[in-house]
Amino acid sequence: MSGDAILEIRDLKVSFRVRRAGRKYQVQAVDGASLSLAEGEVLGIVGESGCGKTTVGRSIVGLVQPDSGAISFRGGEMIGAGGTKLREMRLNVRMVFQDPYASLNPRRTIGDAVAEAGDINGFFKSRAERSAAISATLTAVGLDPSFAARYPYELSGGQRQRVGIARAILPTPSIVIADEPVSALDVSVQAQVLNLMMDLREELRLSMLFISHDLGVIGQISSRVAVMYMGRIVEQAATRAVLDQPLHPYTRALVAAIPKPDPTKRILGAIETGEPPSLFKRPPGCAYAARCPLASDRCLVDVPQLRPAGTDGRAVACHNV
Amino acid sequence: MLSVHDLTVSIGPETAPLDIVAGVSFDIAKGEILGLVGESGCGKSMTSLAVMGLLPQPGPRVRAGRVLLEGSDVTQLQPWQRVEAGHGRMAMIFQEPMTSLNPVRRIGDQIAEAVKVHDGTSGAAALLRARELLELVRMPDPAMQLSAYPHQLSGGQRQRVMIAIALACRPQVLIADEPTTALDVTIQVQILGLLRELCNRLDMAILFITHDMGVIAQLADRVAVMYAGRIVETAPVEALFDRPRHHYTRGLMDCMPSRNSGARRLPTISGQPPAPGTVGAGCVFASRCAGVREPCRVASPPRTGVANGHEVLCAFPLNGGVAS
């Protein structure tokens, strides 16, 4: 797997210091996550709020500083890199954010927003070249070039997210980190944007890390998926395998809890999964033990490590499966 | 229990009103959950606020139509006037429980406050009832949680508190506006299960508003699909998912990722919903409809009964084949 990996994350740990009620706490948002993204692959990261999936994405593009671990892009270490090396990696690894309303500056035109990475890095030799690049990029994401002169308030949510994608692909990156890019959109628009991302991935030969809480969306776009819970990866496998035959008890609950659009298959009341523990009071042992139907004494003291399970590079972090 | 007739909610001047809800009708029986589904801006929340008597003022107003609660007309009454007039009781829960709760008051006091208003009890008796309500919504450790503040609770627990407050008036009708949208799926399934249980146990009528077809399939008995201020299809939930008759309903189902696992591309509905006021003659869905014909662009479609309890606002409804 690591042979043709374009992005490799090893034992990433990220913590935040927070103050609550006058006391200082250390929250371990990511607690030793390892991932590798193969060239041309779409890897999904799925998990519920607070599991650390967004923090993993933000660590990769340098928006948060990890405590330890390694993130390498084409073999070059990204953590602590500076100067031209950092600049080059930033143009190659681009991010699409969740909220298309918050991620665009309301006072700048769409054209300026799209061209920003190019402006900063001196891509354009002339105004004509700049506007040609803006037009081409807007067209690539399915927007009319005339959008360049508009402001974000004139656009719908779906159009804004297209602009978010245009911003990301302008410098022709190799990797796009998409953090819940369709969660804020209505289903009919969501389908359009997902289709666009799949098309762009093919046309631009992108590798993609697709972060989402929605296994339905992940199932659509990614070939492999990593399931996160409380800062750790609990299962990693081909997406089909995870959806059809989840191994980790948490993945099972997650798959079972998807509201199936079929009134003859009702699950209500069949699942009583409890709630995740507070991030401030991480339990010793497995973080899922308190909710887990398979939990044994060992789970309460011993943190399960991700270990290979079956074929296809499948891995699971559980003592009891 | 709840009967809504031809409800029209408008904004703008009296002389040139814009209808954001245009002639919406539905009934909900005791012990029944009606799912109202639609995308952002379709008017589903405005419908629920108008039914509750909670339309923001100044602003949108009920221009026509009636809301009947157990047979009494409550359309133009504010919630407190409904309570004073002794009409039936309605309660509502919202999407984001944190913004609905007072952050600096203990949740026991917040529930007890609602109990005091409706039962006329005070102090210890109200707190005792608050505790009962927390038990009813299956809050873990209810006695302890009475003294908790909202920030100490998880999102799922906060929504349980909101439901407890709503239940304080012993509602006959509960309106739930996207109550699980902000929650994780493993928590969502618990809250949906709780609502179903409460509906059966307390014999309430529930109007459940959501954009999520999956949630509708899991919870609702009957479904009303809303588009551009109109209900375009009403049906029992099995019939709707088995044989959607409106092209919009069919489109919504087809573009759900979970119905398409493995497909190369997702089917989409082209274009975007019309902005209020831009609706001209003809069907509101005509410009995006896969089955549009010439008459659709000029004449409003009729409301047709296609099967028992199954109505569709379409001149050329799908004749039903199972949605792929």
Side-chain angles (χ1 to χ4, degrees):
Chain A
M1 228 187 337
S2 56
D4 54 350
I6 184 167
L7 184 76
E8 185 108 44
I9 301 170
R10 234 166 303 125
D11 207 22
L12 184 73
K13 292 193 178 182
V14 188
S15 64
F16 296 110
R17 256 174 241 118
V18 273
R19 288 181 76 103
R20 282 288 156 87
R23 256 178 291 174
K24 282 181 192 161
Y25 292 88
Q26 175 121 337
V27 172
Q28 195 73 39
V30 182
D31 191 19
S34 300
L35 284 171
S36 88
L37 177 67
E39 186 100 46
E41 174 186 49
V42 181
L43 173 65
I45 301 184
V46 70
E48 299 183 292
S49 18
C51 75
K53 57 191 190 299
T54 292
T55 305
V56 168
R58 295 175 75 92
S59 306
I60 297 168
V61 292
L63 288 172
V64 293
Q65 276 305 315
D67 302 342
S68 64
I71 301 174
S72 63
F73 167 67
R74 291 212 169 110
E77 180 56 40
M78 290 177 80
I79 300 177
T84 19
K85 202 174 155 200
L86 178 68
R87 182 160 288 201
E88 189 200 315
M89 285 191 296
R90 286 219 165 133
L91 290 172
N92 263 302
V93 184
R94 306 282 293 166
M95 191 144 179
V96 176
F97 296 92
Q98 169 170 7
D99 185 346
Y101 292 86
S103 54
L104 291 175
N105 186 337
R107 295 171 57 160
R108 301 189 65 196
T109 63
I110 300 304
D112 287 344
V114 170
E116 190 172 20
D119 290 338
I120 292 171
N121 291 283
F123 276 16
F124 311 120
K125 291 185 191 66
S126 66
R127 292 183 72 96
E129 193 181 324
R130 180 174 185 269
S131 54
I134 293 171
S135 297
T137 314
L138 285 174
T139 311
V141 297
L143 294 175
D144 192 86
S146 67
F147 274 76
R150 298 207 201 172
Y151 286 90
Y153 74 90
E154 298 176 83
L155 273 56
S156 70
Q159 289 168 338
R160 284 174 203 228
Q161 199 54 291
R162 286 174 193 267
V163 174
I165 295 168
R167 275 171 71 99
I169 62 167
L170 179 100
T172 55
S174 356
I175 299 178
V176 167
I177 316 273
D179 186 8
E180 302 265 17
V182 297
S183 326
L185 307 175
D186 277 320
V187 273
S188 68
V189 182
Q190 174 177 310
Q192 295 169 6
V193 174
L194 278 178
N195 282 342
L196 170 69
M197 296 190 80
M198 290 190 276
D199 291 345
L200 288 174
R201 184 189 79 80
E202 221 158 80
E203 284 161 29
L204 307 175
R205 299 210 173 78
L206 293 172
S207 312
M208 208 182 280
L209 200 62
F210 194 98
I211 300 165
S212 177
H213 70 283
D214 188 335
L215 265 174
V217 171
I218 292 270
Q220 183 61 34
I221 197 162
S222 67
S223 47
R224 234 158 31 94
V225 62
V227 182
M228 280 189 81
Y229 185 74
M230 295 281 290
R232 291 172 157 263
I233 291 168
V234 297
E235 185 162 0
Q236 196 171 345
T239 309
R240 273 269 54 94
V242 166
L243 288 172
D244 294 345
Q245 215 182 24
L247 282 183
H248 194 282
Y250 173 65
T251 318
R252 283 186 216 168
L254 199 62
V255 172
I258 303 172
K260 320 250 172 331
D262 183 350
T264 62
K265 290 185 189 140
R266 290 206 166 166
I267 46 165
L268 301 185
I271 306 174
E272 205 50 63
T273 48
E275 306 217 355
S278 161
L279 283 166
F280 299 107
K281 287 180 239 153
R282 175 181 291 273
C286 174
Y288 191 62
R291 305 172 75 183
C292 182
L294 303 180
S296 56
D297 290 346
R298 186 181 172 198
C299 305
L300 301 175
V301 286
D302 190 3
V303 179
Q305 300 299 320
L306 203 61
R307 58 179 171 79
T311 50
D312 285 351
R314 184 165 204 172
V316 61
C318 179
H319 296 308
N320 299 320
V321 296
Chain B
M1 176 54 61
L2 175 71
S3 194
V4 174
H5 291 296
D6 214 20
L7 183 72
T8 300
V9 178
S10 311
I11 49 171
E14 298 282 349
T15 45
L18 283 182
D19 296 343
I20 49 178
V21 174
V24 160
S25 303
F26 56 83
D27 297 287
I28 317 177
K30 275 187 184 173
E32 184 183 50
I33 300 181
L34 176 72
L36 183 60
V37 68
E39 298 183 283
S40 345
C42 73
K44 54 191 193 302
S45 291
M46 279 299 157
T47 304
S48 66
L49 291 174
V51 170
M52 256 325 263
L54 286 177
L55 285 175
Q57 287 185 343
R61 61 195 178 277
V62 175
R63 191 165 67 80
R66 291 191 305 157
V67 177
L68 302 176
L69 191 54
E70 270 200 314
S72 7
D73 191 334
V74 296
T75 320
Q76 299 298 345
L77 299 184
Q78 302 289 330
W80 63 88
Q81 294 171 313
R82 294 177 184 191
V83 173
E84 283 168 3
H87 291 306
R89 295 175 299 271
M90 267 197 229
M92 186 160 181
I93 53 175
F94 299 91
Q95 178 175 151
E96 183 33 76
M98 195 62 200
T99 55
S100 312
L101 289 168
N102 184 336
V104 296
R105 291 190 67 200
R106 296 177 193 277
I107 62 156
D109 294 338
Q110 299 195 48
I111 303 170
E113 182 182 16
V115 172
K116 285 174 195 164
V117 170
H118 292 284
D119 286 7
T121 52
S122 62
L127 266 180
L128 199 64
R129 171 91 178 123
R131 186 180 155 176
E132 281 173 23
L133 287 166
L134 282 183
E135 283 164 14
L136 190 62
V137 299
R138 303 193 174 277
M139 177 72 107
D141 211 355
M144 278 282 291
Q145 301 288 27
L146 282 175
S147 55
Y149 288 95
H151 77 267
Q152 294 171 310
L153 305 179
S154 68
Q157 290 171 339
R158 282 179 209 144
Q159 200 52 286
R160 287 179 198 269
V161 171
M162 288 310 299
I163 297 172
I165 292 175
L167 295 180
C169 76
R170 298 188 170 81
Q172 295 151 307
V173 177
L174 178 69
I175 299 181
D177 189 355
E178 304 257 17
T180 60
T181 306
L183 304 177
D184 286 321
V185 279
T186 59
I187 309 301
Q188 165 168 280
V189 66
Q190 298 174 37
I191 298 291
L192 295 179
L194 173 68
L195 286 173
R196 171 47 81 187
E197 180 198 326
L198 292 171
C199 176
N200 295 345
R201 210 158 127 193
L202 307 175
D203 214 17
M204 287 187 296
I206 296 185
L207 176 62
F208 190 97
I209 295 161
T210 181
H211 66 284
D212 187 333
M213 281 297 223
V215 169
I216 286 285
Q218 289 296 317
L219 185 68
D221 297 306
R222 281 192 307 124
V223 187
V225 182
M226 204 164 173
Y227 183 80
R230 287 146 183 87
I231 289 179
V232 295
E233 185 163 9
T234 316
V237 66
E238 297 86 6
L240 189 89
F241 280 85
D242 195 29
R243 298 179 110 198
R245 297 303 190 95
H246 198 282
H247 297 267
Y248 176 62
T249 314
R250 174 70 190 263
L252 269 188
M253 287 180 185
D254 283 353
C255 62
M256 290 187 70
S258 49
R259 283 207 152 197
N260 289 283
S261 273
R264 241 301 276 131
R265 288 183 67 86
L266 290 168
T268 58
I269 305 173
S270 65
Q272 293 165 37
T278 60
V279 178
C283 173
V284 286
F285 190 59
S287 62
R288 306 176 72 190
C289 183
V292 67
R293 300 188 203 178
E294 218 29 65
C296 305
R297 302 191 196 276
V298 286
S300 293
R303 193 170 293 281
T304 329
V306 286
N308 200 10
H310 197 157
E311 280 186 358
V312 61
L313 185 70
C314 181
F316 306 100
L318 290 161
N319 53 18
V322 179
S324 56

